[in-house]
Amino acid sequence: MADRREMWKALGMDVDTHDGLCAALPVAFGDVYLSQKNRPEGMAFWDFVVSDIHGIRPAELLEAQKEGRKVFGTFCVFVPDEVVVAANGIVTGLCGGSQFWVPDGEKVLPKSTCPLVKASVGARLGRTCPFFRIADMYVGETTCDGKKKAYEILGEDVPMYIMDLPQMKRECDILKWKDEIAAFAKKVEEFTGNTITPEKLDEAIRLINNKRKALARVFEARKNPDNIPISGTDALLVTQIAFFDDPARCAEMCNKLADELEERNRQGVSVFEKGTKRIMITGTPMAIPNWKLHHIVETSGAAVVCEEMCTGTRYFENLVEEGLPTLDEQFMALSKRYMKNNCACFTPNPGRVEDILRLAKEYHVDGVIDVNLKFCCLYDTEGYSVERALREAGIPVLGIETDYDDGDSEQLRTRIGAFVEMLG
Amino acid sequence: MTTYYIGIDIGSTCAKTVVLAETEEIALSFVLPTGWSSVDTAEEIRRRLCEAGYDPAELACVSTGYGRVSVPFARKTVTEITCHARGAMLLHHSRDLTVIDIGGQDTKIIRVEDGLVKDFMMNDKCSAGTGRFLEVMANTLGLRPDDMCDLARQGGGVSISSMCTVFAESEVISLIGKGEKKENIAFAVVDSIVKKVASQANRLEKGGPVCLTGGLCESDYIRQALGEQLHTQVQAVAEGRYAGAVGAALCARDLMKKG
Ligand code: SF4
Ligand code: SF4
């Protein structure tokens, strides 16, 4: 892949160090993904994307930039893609999910920062991820303290725009978020040189809604109580890639996959044996290539059937109202939809517990694993209410704290194995 | 002819083997140090079993513990949580109990209700509140772990604040440097581990008698100190360290019953 090396060099990447990642990723992917049995054929697309993950999409983005389009990098599902798309911009997720980037992040951040933040900062400062190089502007948000302060450091190296996310969900907070979206739209117009019209925004809203609907169809197929048409490990990859892919293509591929999964459900084609215990994972997001927990669960005799996380249901649930005539109404519709996301950064946050209890029913789960990345104070603390509510509802739950490092894999295997044994 | 079932619990420091008769009596039990290689340990266990007339090639055998995957002749592996719970139920003649196992690498607290594991907790990666912590501190004091626990009974008045084994060790070293009495340091070490285990146990809803299994259940003082922290009597039986292996043997019996 010599041509890719040229591209990476031109992007100012540290190509030699990056080679280390290029060497490790296929091995990890082979171990975790290609070793699985009975995979849906449709997964071939995602396998292909991962096989050249720092090549295919970055090359597309570079082409788009040549045509004058701008690329916005985001770190949170609260940043509204619709606004960027309406100005002919492109959004790409920028969350780091590998231990590979952590040491570079630790050069500037406290050790006691969550690995997602450390990896994201490390990927930028270490110049070892093309997406972090390509993005013309980063869009941050005031969610957790770790990210807020990390944005200040990133902002020294790249244009950075911060959206001020409310911490509560009162009526005034929804209005405030609407104003923030309007302000962001202005910024995007300035930066891209394109005007956002109600027509363009409505088109963008429909586009992103379609992507959400397609992802929801994939998840819908996972609700079948008698058949597991796709492994959680594969479904996780689909969601992870959705953060990077072109939204129209993402919708198309997800719909194709959903067709296949629905057919599998009709035919009774399952990835797992009948009676395999169904697990839902709740908590902090799993940025690509963080497949650690899913892999352990699914090689310990259970199946993951749902992820209540931002790389899961929180990404696609709830749609934005379509067909509104004015920007003002559209911004309000966007705010309403986004503010339905029950991230642990809100207080109080009863909606998240309600979501989890609802999802546990919808996906017919036998048990829940509530996971938080080390040093994520928000999800760690909220784990207390989540676990209590689940116990009260008679749903077995296992709380886990982990990071990107593989050092605790064996211990996790024991805990998760014991949890699965406990489910009977 | 009675049938026999083999349970092997390969922990981080010791490997425990039990042969259980159909009557649920322990026909044979022995402990070996795990050493560097659990594969070698497993082979040594096989040799000993054959010598005693229990060929694992012919009997159902289940392995557990952190080295459970290194036992080639085991028909199945089961996690130590399930095994400790089942073993403790048998040894303590109870189907409702809370099991505390202070292992070499990790400490487990298991709530058993009506004969089934209802919930459990394990300490995180770090070794605070585990047998390993105790061992490191005993080494620093130049004592055997069990002697240190006995000595702790006579001490008091000193405490260690660090939870991390490495920092706690330097605290112990500086206490030695200051000329603090050995029994007081021993007390501080045991006190620290007991408090850590108790605070973990307190996060779990308890019920039934609290039973201590694993190697440390042989220390009367630890049992008492833990009881004081938990405001309850902590029970222990002589075969407590074999709880995991007994549970594994019971799982081996299930394998045969299921056919
Ligand atoms: S977990 Fe919260 S902060 Fe993180 S991406 Fe999701 S909404 Fe944003
Ligand atoms: S996992 Fe927690 S600490 Fe990490 S970025 Fe998300 S909210 Fe912040």
Side-chain angles (χ1 to χ4, degrees), chain A residues 60-132:
Chain A
E60 283 180 5
L61 294 177
L62 287 170
E63 273 312 303
Q65 279 175 328
K66 271 189 209 146
E67 293 160 16
R69 297 177 70 187
K70 295 281 185 220
V71 178
F72 293 75
T74 61
F75 300 85
C76 172
V77 300
F78 268 98
V79 175
D81 293 359
E82 292 88 342
V83 171
V84 173
V85 172
N88 201 28
I90 302 175
V91 181
T92 184
L94 284 184
C95 287
S98 167
Q99 179 65 23
F100 180 83
W101 292 303
V102 168
D104 276 330
E106 283 180 345
K107 284 184 189 159
V108 294
L109 295 170
K111 282 236 176 341
S112 55
T113 307
C114 109
L116 203 155
V117 176
K118 285 194 279 204
S120 302
V121 170
R124 170 74 202 185
L125 301 185
R127 296 182 289 120
T128 41
C129 172
F131 292 99
F132 278 82

Side-chain angles (χ1 to χ4, degrees), chain A residues 114-117 143-147 284-285 343 373 375-379:
Chain A
C114 109
L116 203 155
V117 176
T143 44
C144 70
D145 289 354
K147 285 206 275 183
T284 45
C343 170
L373 285 167
F375 306 118
C376 175
C377 172
L378 295 171
Y379 281 88

